[in-house]
């Protein structure tokens, strides 16, 4: 685990609205250092500076956020990246400190949860296996299967998941 301790910076600017989410889901509002992104997909870079407020992002145990609910949420022993200023956060790949994507503010977190709910309902209905559903999703979104983690998706990708799942539901019903 990499310590982010000595990355102290001055007081972050006032929290502001998230910047525009461009096509392709990139949100360039934050000051993500170019070097952090270069040559990597957005699912791979380590968030260190919050894209919403410029605050410092730290790797923290999930229980610091979820407390008593950690076990129920299946997050025991897991880690999160969290902005120390505005609480934007993102989870990690199970059992690792590799972030699923960029940090999310509350609006994006709710969108990710909604997309996950719709997607899980699809494979839980028995139409597809869970693995099959992830493979299908990755194909539809042109992502490598190991990148198809809704917990790291941007607004537009979440919306796409919701639309794809609804479309599939309707096709089956017809
Ligand atoms: Zn922040």
């Amino acid at each position: 685990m990499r310590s982010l301790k000595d990355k102290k910076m001055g007081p972050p600017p006032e929290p502001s609205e998230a910047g525009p989410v461009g096509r392709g889901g990139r949100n360039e509002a934050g000051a993500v250092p170019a070097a952090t992104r270069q040559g990597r997909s957005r699912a791979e870079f380590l968030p260190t500076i919050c894209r919403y407020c410029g605050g410092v992002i730290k790797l923290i145990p999930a229980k610091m956020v979820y407390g008593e609910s950690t076990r129920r949420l299946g997050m025991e022993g897991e880690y999160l990246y969290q902005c120390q200023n505005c609480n934007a956060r993102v989870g990690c790949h199970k059992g690792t400190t590799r972030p699923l994507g960029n940090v999310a503010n509350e609006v994006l977190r709710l969108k990710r949860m909604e997309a996950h709910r719709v997607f899980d309902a699809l494979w839980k209905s028995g139409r597809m296996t869970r693995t099959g559903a992830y493979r299908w999703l990755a194909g539809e979104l042109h992502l490598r299967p190991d990148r198809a983690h809704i917990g790291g998706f941007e607004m537009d990708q979440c919306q796409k998941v919701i639309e794809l799942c609804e479309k599939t539901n309707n096709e089956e019903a017809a």
Side-chain angles (χ1 to χ4, degrees), residues 12-13 15 49-57 82-89 103 105:
I49 301 293
C50 178
R51 57 175 167 169
Y52 301 108
C53 77
V56 176
I57 293 173
Q82 185 195 45
C83 171
Q84 301 304 291
N85 185 54
C86 76
N87 290 333
R89 57 182 187 254
V103 292
N105 61 8

Side-chain angles (χ1 to χ4, degrees), residues 120-139:
D120 289 344
L122 185 68
W123 62 262
K124 281 177 179 168
S125 71
R127 285 191 184 87
M128 307 180 189
T129 62
R130 185 172 179 274
T131 313
Y134 272 103
R135 207 176 299 132
W136 165 77
L137 184 67

Side-chain angles (χ1 to χ4, degrees), residues 154-166:
E154 299 296 342
M155 265 314 197
D156 62 333
Q157 291 175 300
C158 290
Q159 185 56 37
K160 194 83 197 289
V161 172
I162 294 163
E163 284 166 13
L164 284 168
C165 292
E166 277 170 359

